[in-house]
Amino acid sequence: MLISLTVGKVDAGVAVLLTQDKRLIEFPSILLPPNISSGSIVDITVSRNLDSETKSQSAFLALQDSIYSSFGESEPVAPKLSCRNATQTSVVLEWDLIEVATADVISLSLFRNGQKAGNIPRPTTILSTKISGLAVDTEYTFHLVLRTSAGTFSSEKVVVKTHKMTDLSGITVTPGILPSQLKDSLTKAVERIGAKMADTVRIDTTHFVTTEGRGMLWEKAVEMNIPVVRPEWVEGCERGGRIVGVRQYYLDADPRQRQIAQTEVPVQSRPEPARESPLPSPPATNGSSQAIPPTPPAKDISKEEQQSGEEAENDEEEKTAVQDEQKFRIEDQDQQKIALRPAAPESASGAEDGDEKLKEPVDENGGSGSQTPGHSSFQDVAL
C-alpha cells in the first residue's frame, strides 16, 4: 500500500506530515530521506510482515512456558515432623529437608502444646532439634510452622509421651575408649536393658560411656553437654531396673560413694492402733439419776473459749445444786407426813374393842370421845 504525504514541518526529532484529506501525522524525522524540508512529498509503503509476526509470537510463548516451569509448577511444601527418640525428660524431633520452591524462607518455628517454643536457626540446613527439661511420663504435642514469601505452612501434630523411670528403651549409649572385654560386656548389658548403641556422638545420644577422658568422641560429647559416665552406670540401671543418677558415675567421682540402685521394697501397711474404749461414767451422787459424761481431752483453745467453757460449767453446777436441794426438801416433806400419821392398831381384836368403846354413851362430864384409863383421848397421840 503506497501513500503520498506532504511534509509540513520538520523538527529535530519529529516531522509533521499531511495527508490528502488534510490530516496530521507525526512521523520520526530520522526515518525520512535526507534533505527533506517543508513542502516535500514523500511516498510511504505500508505492508504486514507475517514472518516476523510469527517469530515474535513464538518467542513470547516460549518465555511464558519458561516462567511457568520455573515459578508456577512447584510451591512450598509443609514440613514433615517426626519423633526420633524420647527419654524420661527429653525428646529429639527431626524433619525432612524443607521445600520452598522459588519462595524465600522467613522463619521455621516449633510449637509445643499449642504454644511457641522457639525458632529453628538455619532452617534450610538444620533438620533436628532436642527439647530437654520435660516432665516424666507426660504427653506432649509438637508441630512446625513454616513461614515463606509464598505463604505459611504447618506440619501435622506429633504426640510424644516421655518415658517412665523404669523404661530404659530411650537410652542411647555411645562407647568411648574401653578395653575390648569391657566393651563387649557393655554391649550385652545395653541389649539386656533394652537400650541402643551408637558408634558416633549424635543429637539423640544420652550417655557417653568411657574409662578415659580423651579422644575426639569425648570432646564432642563434652561440647554437646552429654553426660560422660563409667560402664558401672549401665550395670546400676540393670540392677535397679530403672534409670539412676549419673553424678556418682562420673570419671572423677569417688568409687566409695557409688551406690548401686536396688529394687524398691513394697511398703507394708502398718496395723492400725487399737482405739481406746471410753471410760465409764461415774455413778450419780446425791440421789441424781443422770450420769455425768466424761470430760473430753484437753485441746488447744483460745482464752475466750476457755472462759465460755468455764461459765457453762458453773451454770451446770448451779443447776445441779438447785435440783439436789429440791430433792432434799421433797424427802423431808415425805418424812414429816409419815410422822403425822396415827399408829396402826396392833391386831383385829384391838380394833373391835375400840369400836365397842366408841359405841359407849358419852360421859356426863362432856368428853368428846371415849376415854382410856388415865383419862387420855385417842386424839392425843404423842409424836
Side-chain angles (χ1 to χ4, degrees):
M1 181 178 181
L2 181 62
I3 300 175
S4 296
L5 301 173
T6 303
V7 178
K9 182 181 179 181
V10 179
D11 289 335
V14 177
V16 178
L17 304 179
L18 300 176
T19 61
Q20 294 179 357
D21 53 356
K22 308 303 180 183
R23 293 184 179 181
L24 299 178
I25 298 176
E26 292 182 352
F27 194 80
S29 58
I30 194 173
L31 298 179
L32 295 175
N35 300 324
I36 294 297
S37 61
S38 298
S40 300
I41 297 175
V42 295
D43 294 335
I44 298 176
T45 302
V46 179
S47 62
R48 183 178 180 182
N49 192 342
L50 296 177
D51 295 337
S52 298
E53 183 179 347
T54 303
K55 292 179 180 179
S56 177
Q57 188 174 4
S58 299
F60 178 74
L61 293 177
L63 178 61
Q64 283 187 330
D65 294 339
S66 176
I67 294 173
Y68 178 76
S69 61
S70 300
F71 301 97
E73 288 185 351
S74 60
E75 61 180 2
V77 180
K80 297 179 181 179
L81 183 65
S82 61
C83 178
R84 183 173 181 176
N85 188 31
T87 63
Q88 282 74 14
T89 58
S90 64
V91 171
V92 177
L93 302 174
E94 62 180 0
W95 54 90
D96 298 338
L97 183 65
I98 58 175
E99 299 178 3
V100 294
T102 57
D104 296 330
V105 178
I106 298 176
S107 65
L108 180 63
S109 304
L110 178 65
F111 284 76
R112 179 178 65 187
N113 293 338
Q115 297 182 354
K116 186 177 180 180
N119 292 330
I120 305 298
R122 302 189 303 277
T124 56
T125 57
I126 295 179
L127 304 178
S128 61
T129 185
K130 184 176 182 179
I131 302 174
S132 304
L134 303 179
V136 179
D137 193 18
T138 306
E139 193 174 86
Y140 294 91
T141 303
F142 299 94
H143 72 279
L144 289 173
V145 175
L146 175 63
R147 296 181 59 196
T148 66
S149 58
T152 303
F153 304 88
S154 299
S155 67
E156 295 183 357
K157 294 183 179 181
V158 176
V159 179
V160 182
K161 187 175 183 180
T162 55
H163 293 177
K164 298 180 180 179
M165 297 299 292
T166 56
D167 188 358
L168 305 178
S169 60
I171 297 176
T172 302
V173 175
T174 299
I177 299 176
L178 294 171
S180 59
Q181 185 177 1
L182 187 58
K183 189 173 183 179
D184 294 340
S185 62
L186 175 64
T187 304
K188 295 179 181 179
V190 169
E191 292 178 356
R192 286 194 299 268
I193 65 176
K196 299 181 288 293
M197 290 281 291
D199 296 333
T200 59
V201 178
R202 306 178 306 190
I203 190 173
D204 59 339
T205 300
T206 58
H207 298 83
F208 185 80
V209 180
T210 184
T211 56
E212 299 180 11
R214 59 187 178 88
M216 295 182 61
L217 295 178
W218 173 79
E219 293 178 357
K220 188 175 182 181
V222 173
E223 182 182 356
M224 297 177 63
N225 294 326
I226 297 175
V228 180
V229 296
R230 296 183 60 84
E232 288 80 2
W233 177 81
V234 180
E235 297 177 1
C237 293
E238 183 180 3
R239 293 184 183 182
R242 56 182 296 165
I243 189 169
V244 298
V246 298
R247 181 177 299 178
Q248 298 174 353
Y249 295 91
Y250 287 148
L251 297 181
D252 56 351
D254 188 0
R256 292 176 297 180
Q257 298 179 356
R258 193 169 299 154
Q259 298 178 358
I260 303 299
Q262 299 179 357
T263 56
E264 296 182 355
V265 179
V267 180
Q268 297 180 356
S269 59
R270 298 180 179 177
E272 296 183 358
R275 297 182 179 178
E276 297 181 357
S277 58
L279 297 175
S281 58
T285 58
N286 298 331
S288 176
S289 61
Q290 297 180 355
I292 301 174
T295 57
K299 297 182 180 179
D300 297 336
I301 55 178
S302 60
K303 294 182 179 180
E304 296 180 357
E305 293 179 353
Q306 290 179 356
Q307 293 177 359
S308 61
E310 292 177 357
E311 293 177 358
E313 291 178 358
N314 294 333
D315 294 340
E316 291 180 358
E317 291 178 358
E318 292 178 359
K319 291 180 180 179
T320 306
V322 172
Q323 292 178 359
D324 294 341
E325 185 177 355
Q326 291 177 356
K327 290 180 180 179
F328 282 128
R329 291 179 180 177
I330 293 171
E331 290 177 357
D332 293 340
Q333 291 177 2
D334 293 339
Q335 291 178 0
Q336 291 177 4
K337 290 180 180 179
I338 293 172
L340 292 174
R341 291 177 184 175
E346 295 181 357
S347 61
S349 60
E352 293 177 356
D353 295 339
D355 294 337
E356 292 178 355
K357 291 179 180 180
L358 290 174
K359 294 178 182 179
E360 291 181 357
V362 181
D363 190 11
E364 294 178 356
N365 295 329
S368 60
S370 61
Q371 296 180 355
T372 60
H375 303 282
S376 60
S377 174
F378 281 101
Q379 295 179 357
D380 299 331
V381 180
L383 298 177

